[in-house]
Amino acid sequence: PQPSEVKDGACAATPDAAQVAAAPALKFKHRRTLREVLRAKRLERSDIKPSDWGKFGYGTRDDVLTRPIEYDEQTVPIERISAARATPQWFFENYSKQQRPVIIEGGCAHWPAMTRWGFDELEERYRHKEFKVGEDGKGKKIKIKFKYFLDYMRNQTDDNPLYLFETEMDDNVHVNSLTEDFQVPDIFPDDYLNLMNHDSRPPHRWWCIGPKRSGTTVHTDPLGTSAWNAVTHGRKHWVLFEPETSKKVAKGKLVKEKSEDDEAIMYFDFLLPRIKKRHPEALADVFADSDDGECAACCDCSGDIIFVPGRWWHGVLNTEDCVAVTQNYCGLDNFEVVWKSIRRDREKVAHLWLRNMRKFAPQLHRHALDMNAHDKFRMRHERRKGERLQDASSSSSDSTDSSTDEATDVRDAPGIASVTSPEILLLGSAGGGCKRQRRQPGLVQDKGKENEMPSKRVRPGDAELPHLQKAEC
């Protein structure tokens, strides 16, 4: 299309014949693949030309992907455990309540996805279905047919390739058969956010295909939620920092030059080594109590699951073409953090969640109200008209929130039995809520504030999470 034929710069997203001809000479199986990829790239990164996606030359060398991890005073492995050891109660006591990252080896090795999510098998099932590979500048989803994406993945040489990140597994009739191929691991039995109406709940589950060299920059997961990530095919390289680490240090803002990019491949190539070199004092100060060292590292491979506690900084680099599924949750181990975050940053969602707590999980509802009273926090319906929270995000009071006000019965939703069963008493009503045992601090690298943390560090063994009874919380 000519510029006069479209509005709002949409013409920039549609490659013409000259742009297609000027693109790097790649051989694709399908005639239309190149045109579809160029369209997606121009929408995803309007600030650079599609031909610049490989300008740093990472696609012609694999040294960053195969570089061994060097263990030193700042770097130690993330702990690994066998899936056979990980019963729900044992895992809660040793990892989730202590907020300790861990890799569960073989945690998803029994899933049907281990055979059904091979690339050839997926192409046979979904070749003509469209999947999300990004968002444009207005937040609109960028989609591409699966056969074109696989063709691109198998032949691309980009520094930071397009990343398939599907968010509609449960709602899209064309792809919801993916949910039949896996199950939520039994070591993550709770998800109190399922007390919300389905349409009100923020996105929390993603099915991903990451071509090698793709990844995510260092970030924390939304609303204080914890996450599990299961890899069925391929290999990932992770880096994790404890919540106390400053954002500028974790993201490498202080070591990045203006002319440099900070995509995942660059972060693992040169930004992370610079962080460790430039900030030894900062890291040593933050992690002075760690017995394990200042940093930890390893990879998760096909069949493994990694647990990432809430508020931990983390980033990932796909060192091979990867298929994975990941889900964020709120449970007994992180309810207080998640509630504080949602009530501040997603006010309407908090109101709807609290309403359903009152109806279906009265003890959890009491605990949330006790937290509000202890913190002297007033929710939206308790404040004067026009009164806003001082530290809330710009979206917290957004009148365009898509959450529905219609109440629905959620009693059969998964992950809420522990707070809806009348014979189970999980949370107390003292203002501060249940105390949480801290993991000893450490930056964690795996080749794979919002709320203030307790000021006193507690090592595992020094204190135990109280029995979950009213009088002890």
Side-chain angles (χ1 to χ4, degrees):
Q2 298 300 314
S4 59
E5 298 176 324
V6 291
K7 298 180 180 180
D8 298 326
C11 59
T14 307
D16 57 24
Q19 293 168 338
V20 173
L26 296 176
K27 294 182 179 180
F28 292 113
K29 176 181 177 180
H30 301 291
R31 176 178 55 84
R32 191 175 176 83
T33 298
L34 179 58
R35 186 176 295 273
E36 288 297 295
V37 168
L38 289 177
R39 175 185 63 83
K41 286 182 177 181
R42 295 184 70 84
L43 288 169
E44 172 75 5
R45 289 289 303 272
S46 59
D47 56 321
I48 63 173
K49 299 177 181 178
S51 58
D52 288 338
W53 279 53
K55 68 179 180 180
F56 295 108
Y58 285 102
T60 62
R61 56 189 180 92
D62 290 334
D63 60 299
V64 180
L65 306 182
T66 59
R67 184 182 300 162
I69 301 172
E70 296 183 4
Y71 297 108
D72 53 30
E73 65 276 5
Q74 290 179 295
T75 307
V76 298
I78 290 180
E79 188 174 354
R80 290 177 174 271
I81 60 173
S82 168
R85 292 177 55 195
T87 63
Q89 183 62 30
W90 181 87
F91 188 84
F92 175 79
E93 293 292 336
N94 290 278
Y95 293 98
S96 58
K97 88 171 183 181
Q98 296 184 33
Q99 299 291 278
R100 294 172 60 189
V102 66
I103 289 178
I104 304 98
E105 294 182 332
C108 62
H110 61 288
W111 287 358
M114 295 297 295
T115 56
R116 301 197 70 192
W117 289 0
F119 297 118
D120 292 338
E121 290 77 10
L122 288 170
E123 186 171 20
E124 181 69 23
R125 295 167 66 183
Y126 301 114
R127 59 184 294 110
H128 296 299
K129 308 305 180 186
E130 291 189 335
F131 289 84
K132 177 185 174 182
V133 296
E135 294 182 351
D136 64 16
K138 297 181 179 179
K140 184 178 179 180
K141 295 178 181 178
I142 305 168
K143 294 194 173 186
I144 188 172
K145 281 189 177 180
F146 193 71
K147 64 177 181 179
Y148 298 138
F149 179 81
L150 279 191
D151 194 10
Y152 161 74
M153 181 192 74
R154 289 164 170 155
N155 296 282
Q156 59 85 22
T157 58
D158 292 336
D159 298 322
N160 182 50
L162 291 168
Y163 203 152
L164 189 153
F165 236 85
E166 183 54 58
T167 60
E168 297 180 345
M169 269 193 300
D170 298 290
D171 301 321
N172 187 334
V173 66
H174 300 298
V175 299
N176 62 11
S177 58
L178 288 167
T179 61
E180 302 170 2
D181 301 334
F182 73 97
Q183 60 192 40
V184 176
D186 61 2
I187 56 176
F188 304 106
D190 295 328
D191 195 352
Y192 302 162
L193 289 171
N194 277 334
L195 285 165
M196 287 187 206
N197 301 346
H198 177 71
D199 293 339
S200 302
R201 179 171 184 171
H204 68 288
R205 182 154 66 180
W206 299 267
W207 183 71
C208 322
I209 296 184
K212 61 181 179 180
R213 296 183 303 280
S214 64
T216 57
T217 56
V218 172
H219 63 284
T220 57
D221 282 343
L223 302 173
T225 54
S226 298
W228 55 264
N229 184 297
V231 179
T232 64
H233 296 75
R235 186 178 180 90
K236 292 177 180 286
H237 181 159
W238 290 77
V239 60
L240 283 77
F241 297 83
E242 269 223 317
E244 293 93 342
T245 308
S246 73
K247 180 178 180 179
K248 289 184 177 180
V249 170
K251 296 179 75 68
K253 297 296 186 182
L254 302 177
V255 298
K256 176 183 171 295
E257 302 294 337
K258 291 184 178 180
S259 60
E260 295 174 337
D261 209 337
D262 62 351
E263 301 292 355
I265 189 76
M266 291 83 167
Y267 186 93
F268 284 88
D269 184 17
F270 54 81
L271 290 180
L272 184 57
R274 288 181 194 170
I275 292 171
K276 294 175 63 179
K277 183 177 180 179
R278 180 167 175 176
H279 300 288
E281 296 84 4
L283 291 174
D285 178 63
V286 172
F287 310 131
D289 289 324
S290 176
D291 293 330
D292 294 336
E294 314 303 354
C295 174
C298 62
C299 289
D300 64 339
C301 308
S302 300
D304 292 347
I305 298 174
I306 186 171
F307 167 59
V308 181
R311 296 187 296 178
W312 280 67
W313 296 99
H314 57 281
V316 65
L317 175 67
N318 294 310
T319 57
E320 299 174 1
D321 297 334
C322 280
V323 184
V325 61
T326 183
Q327 183 166 320
N328 290 53
Y329 75 89
C330 169
L332 177 60
D333 52 302
N334 63 351
F335 170 75
E336 296 180 359
V337 172
V338 175
W339 173 244
K340 288 180 179 180
S341 179
I342 287 184
R343 73 184 185 185
R344 187 191 69 182
D345 294 334
R346 298 293 297 273
E347 291 195 84
K348 185 173 182 180
V349 172
H351 172 73
L352 299 177
W353 192 21
L354 188 66
R355 179 196 62 190
N356 278 12
M357 286 184 210
R358 182 179 65 239
K359 185 173 182 180
F360 302 111
Q363 297 173 76
L364 194 65
H365 175 258
R366 260 195 320 273
H367 186 59
L369 293 183
D370 287 343
M371 289 175 61
N372 289 356
H374 178 268
D375 300 335
K376 299 180 180 179
F377 182 91
R378 292 184 299 162
M379 298 187 66
R380 185 173 64 175
H381 64 280
E382 298 172 324
R383 300 195 301 269
R384 295 187 300 273
K385 185 176 181 180
E387 181 182 355
R388 291 175 175 264
L389 298 176
Q390 291 183 351
D391 299 327
S393 67
S394 59
S395 62
S396 62
S397 300
D398 190 352
S399 61
T400 62
D401 194 312
S402 60
S403 305
T404 176
D405 284 321
E406 182 180 354
T408 58
D409 193 334
V410 299
R411 279 173 287 197
D412 293 330
I416 63 173
S418 64
V419 287
T420 56
S421 299
E423 69 275 10
I424 299 177
L425 181 61
L426 284 180
L427 292 167
S429 58
C434 294
K435 294 181 179 179
R436 177 176 66 89
Q437 181 176 339
R438 289 287 318 286
R439 176 193 182 274
Q440 59 263 57
L443 171 142
V444 181
Q445 180 187 345
D446 178 358
K447 200 165 179 177
K449 279 186 174 121
E450 195 255 11
N451 302 297
E452 293 185 0
M453 303 292 290
S455 58
K456 180 181 178 181
R457 300 187 188 279
V458 181
R459 296 178 184 276
D462 290 347
E464 293 296 329
L465 189 71
H467 292 293
L468 305 179
Q469 295 180 354
K470 201 173 195 178
E472 297 180 344
C473 295

